[in-house]
Amino acid sequence: MKDAAPQPVYLEDYTPPAYLVDAVHLTFRLAPNTTRVLSRIEFRPNPDATSRDFFLHGEALTLISARINGAEITPEVTPQGLSAIVPGAPFTFEAEVEINPEGNTALEGLYMSNGMYCTQCEAEGFRKITYYPDRPDVMSIFTVRIEGDTPVMLSNGNPTGSGAGWAEWHDPWPKPAYLFALVAGDLVAHPDSFTTRSGRHVDLNIWVRPGDEGKCAFGMEALKKSMAWDEEVYGREYDLDLFNIVAVDDFNMGAMENKGLNIFNSSCVLSTAETATDANFERIEAIVAHEYFHNWTGNRITCRDWFQLCLKEGLTVYRDSQFTADLRSAPVKRISDVIALRARQFREDNGPLAHPVRPESFIEINNFYTATVYEKGAELIGMLKRLVGDAAYREALDLYFTRHDGQACTIEDWLQVFEDVTGRDLSQFKRWYSDAGTPRLRVSEEFNNGRYTLHFEQKTPPTPGQEDKQPRVIPIAVGLLSPNGDEVQPTQVLEMTEARQSFSFDGLATRPIPSILRDFSAPVILERESSNSERAFLLAHDTDPFNKWEAGRALARAGLLAMMTEGAAPDAAYLDAIARVARDDTLDPAFRALALGLPSEDDLAQALFDTGHVPDPQAIWDALETLRDTRAEALESIAQDLYSRYQVTAPYRPDPDQTGARALANAALAMLSRRDGGTRAQAQYDAADNMTQQLAAWSCLLQAGAGAAATEAFYTQWKHDRLVIDKWFTLQIVQTAPDRAAEVAETLTRHPDFTLRNPNRFRATLGALTMSPAGFHHASGRGYRLLADMLIRLDPLNPQTTARMCSAFETWRRYDPVRQGMIAAELDRILATPNLSRDTTEMVGRIRGS
């Protein structure tokens, strides 16, 4: 008989913990299959509790013994945890358990990665290590002793002693169990140091496997830049004597901010010019910053419960975006963030997985580490800063850190500091946290006797569990341009609070051209009638970089939609406008490279669906290919000039100047390869001395149908490097014609280097298939069957990665009935799998609508 359906947890049911923890002492006696964990935990009754039931979470643990105040007890043990009768005064609970790190393929709790012991405790992994109140509002000071035969043994905080076969650590800052970390193995350190502005000396280390020492320098520099930036911009200093990072091969996430011992997926910290692309370097820089910034926004101040996850993640994503914008190009960073937000979060908001930034309920919290919590959560911080101003934002953050240091907080605590600083009522703004869905902002306008008026109407479509939505506060940044391109109204932030609202501008000589939602001032969908001539005008003249880019993207999208729905030819207005942008040397090369990008297949599918058409993935791919070919012909001479002028001859550096030049030159190479069959790409591949140039050239060769030799050569050259071979798996699939994408992916799942146990390799292969919509949604259904087959195989090993990969099916209801039927059958087949994990059951059930 199948187990009863997992029951949801509700925000409204929150109750304070029955007992608080003053100190935790842990001893680990490491062994691959039989690790013993001895815990000594000092409890006291919580005066704010509504219950005195003593319950400790624990999963997949073998209890050896338990004691209270030194006396043996026989607790009640279930698969979920342990209960016992305890004193009414402070007491000490001790337990000894046995766990099996080698057999822990889920990569939660304590597990092994190629012989190295490693932990991942967020969100609820600590309960797989020992019995404990595994909830973020229980914070305590941890002391840890590790015993084993590994050369290096690390934990949180500062080292307090070590000897042959043992090491001890103490973290003086109270933390919840999800921030506990332990790493032990054969590791070598890339050391450095940092001096805080108050004079504290901090030792820094990036720990890696022998042989990876040469891949740490960039990550270390990113860490030191992050520490200095957080002091300068937020006034936050580091608070321990030591900061360690460890690179781990098998990791479900990008990285984890454990106090003083950050654990990183190897792909997010290891880099050299030969093995990492410009995009990899920027991602590493951002992730190192993100995890370091968590030291204050997540660690020193954490979340009361997992419903408040956006409190730490949204704020920290916003901070790392600020960091990247300050170090690199702020406009390019903003555009890149919006591209990612629309591709992932808008898609999430528009389907069965839609949920508020602060969810009201969940079955498995791992399923809510989503773009809505992270990226939309960050957009909310940006909107709040825009509404209150830079000075008030900084004052509110200072108050937040002072008032709540060492506490587990809620969204209400966060908004209260802004209300206290500014005197504003933010109750309406709070709807951004409680209401799911992307607001649609419809705009109309009129001009009469020098007065120009913009009429706005906001509406948020229904989402699962939420029908009628009340108006939100929307900051709308607007500028006005005259017909000759001059800016007659600089950027002004209009604060919309009603369902319908109008704003007027007086004293204008002629009807202006509006530039609306500058810098993407709110995460909304703007609906406004516009012509291609106006889009081309804004692309040429708008002074706001985001809206300048947006006009070009809208121009391309309109032309592509006309090609698919009306049989139109590629739009000459777009070709002329994009040629002017490509030639404009006053524009940042990185911006021009972004402007040469086209709407994604998924973007076009949603646009078709929104206008009443059933998207055909193959037709979308065909239209994009036609436009790319036409554009390559029209811009051939421009592309030749750009490719020649933007070659970087200086030694490789992943800085903004070189990165932008390479991006523009490689965008030109992609066009030229459609004209010369890959001749220039082959020359670049043969001469490349860095991964950016090598991968870009190989991609062009594959697209041109001339990549077979390079594919074999690339593997031969890099088969020893696991992270580069991930790229080898991915690129073959995404650059394969749609009718063969699933076939190539299936073939690669049988390659000797493919493994289900490594999340990076699984994502590099099956994730790559879902990144090729026309291939994944091919009419044969082969892509659906392959992904479902592999998810069913993966679920018993790693439920977390399985559940997240299920989101590839979330847009299924926008396609034709045949495709819907095939996807529904695969979803039902997954749901019918015996012993399907709670993670995957919830995710597939939400997508299926059951």
Side-chain angles (χ1 to χ4, degrees), residues 13 20 23 62 213 220 289 291 303 389 396 527 608 668 745 772 779:
D13 292 339
L20 302 176
T62 299
E213 304 95 312
M220 182 60 77
E291 304 309 331
C303 47
E527 297 179 344
L608 286 166
S772 173

Side-chain angles (χ1 to χ4, degrees), residues 536-557:
F537 174 87
L538 290 172
L539 179 59
H541 299 290
D542 203 328
T543 56
D544 179 70
F546 174 80
N547 271 6
K548 188 181 192 73
W549 169 85
E550 178 84 308
R553 180 59 60 99
L555 189 59
R557 184 186 299 108

Side-chain angles (χ1 to χ4, degrees), residues 287-538:
I287 292 175
V288 168
H290 180 94
E291 304 309 331
Y292 175 75
F293 296 156
H294 265 312
N295 188 62
W296 278 91
T297 50
N299 295 6
R300 288 286 288 260
I301 304 176
T302 192
C303 47
R304 185 196 70 178
D305 51 69
W306 291 120
F307 296 100
Q308 320 295 330
L309 180 60
C310 60
L311 177 61
K312 75 182 186 76
E313 294 301 347
L315 177 54
T316 306
V317 168
Y318 180 73
R319 277 157 40 81
D320 82 55
S321 292
Q322 284 183 293
F323 171 76
T324 299
D326 284 352
L327 264 63
R328 295 177 178 268
S329 164
V332 169
K333 173 60 176 170
R334 186 61 183 144
I335 293 166
S336 299
D337 283 350
V338 175
I339 290 173
L341 181 81
R342 288 171 169 171
R344 298 175 58 234
Q345 198 282 320
F346 277 22
R347 167 173 161 159
E348 199 166 79
D349 252 352
N350 200 45
L353 299 181
H355 62 275
V357 173
R358 181 169 68 176
E360 296 294 321
S361 68
F362 62 78
I363 291 175
E364 174 50 65
I365 184 55
N366 286 329
N367 289 337
F368 284 87
Y369 283 73
T370 62
T372 297
V373 168
Y374 280 67
E375 280 73 28
K376 188 173 182 178
E379 291 294 320
L380 270 54
I381 307 299
M383 280 195 294
L384 194 54
K385 184 172 183 286
R386 194 181 299 271
L387 288 168
V388 304
D390 293 349
Y393 174 80
R394 175 60 189 266
E395 187 178 350
L397 265 292
D398 287 343
L399 178 59
Y400 179 66
F401 292 129
T402 300
R403 179 180 290 176
H404 296 296
D405 187 14
Q407 297 179 13
C409 295
T410 64
I411 295 301
E412 285 75 15
D413 296 323
W414 164 252
L415 294 178
Q416 187 64 51
V417 298
F418 283 87
E419 291 187 332
D420 291 347
V421 164
T422 66
R424 291 180 61 118
D425 179 358
L426 294 175
S427 55
Q428 186 182 19
F429 184 84
K430 188 178 172 184
R431 290 175 189 159
W432 281 102
Y433 286 99
S434 61
D435 289 357
T438 303
R440 292 177 178 264
L441 191 62
R442 184 166 295 171
V443 188
S444 61
E445 63 222 72
E446 59 181 315
F447 181 70
N448 188 25
N449 294 327
R451 166 171 285 194
Y452 178 72
T453 303
L454 287 168
H455 304 287
F456 293 96
E457 179 181 358
Q458 61 164 298
K459 183 175 179 60
T460 304
T463 53
Q466 293 184 333
E467 295 298 323
D468 295 328
K469 312 288 180 73
Q470 295 300 308
R472 308 186 196 186
V473 180
I474 302 178
I476 309 167
V478 173
L480 302 178
L481 303 174
S482 71
N484 66 6
D486 293 335
E487 189 166 77
V488 295
Q489 170 62 56
T491 301
Q492 178 179 343
V493 177
L494 311 177
E495 191 170 328
M496 185 178 186
T497 57
E498 306 295 332
R500 295 175 182 83
Q501 206 163 342
S502 300
F503 301 88
S504 295
F505 303 86
D506 293 315
L508 298 171
T510 58
R511 184 187 186 97
I513 293 88
S515 172
I516 304 173
L517 209 65
R518 285 185 157 184
D519 200 40
F520 199 66
S521 58
V524 301
I525 295 173
L526 188 65
E527 297 179 344
R528 175 177 172 269
E529 293 295 328
S530 181
S531 65
N532 279 353
S533 61
E534 183 184 87
R535 296 178 184 117
F537 174 87
L538 290 172

Side-chain angles (χ1 to χ4, degrees), residues 165-191:
W166 66 276
E168 292 182 346
W169 294 80
H170 177 72
D171 185 356
W173 299 104
K175 65 173 178 286
Y178 83 83
L179 290 171
F180 172 78
L182 180 153
V183 174
D186 182 10
L187 298 166
V188 292
H190 177 93

Side-chain angles (χ1 to χ4, degrees), residues 25-65:
H25 300 263
L26 299 173
T27 297
F28 289 82
R29 294 172 180 161
L30 299 176
N33 303 113
T34 55
T35 288
R36 291 291 178 99
V37 183
L38 288 73
S39 61
R40 187 171 78 254
I41 308 169
E42 298 175 16
F43 285 100
R44 61 183 165 88
N46 181 2
D48 297 327
T50 57
S51 166
R52 280 288 171 260
D53 293 338
F54 181 75
F55 175 79
L56 304 181
H57 300 99
E59 295 179 8
L61 308 174
T62 299
L63 179 64
I64 306 301
S65 65

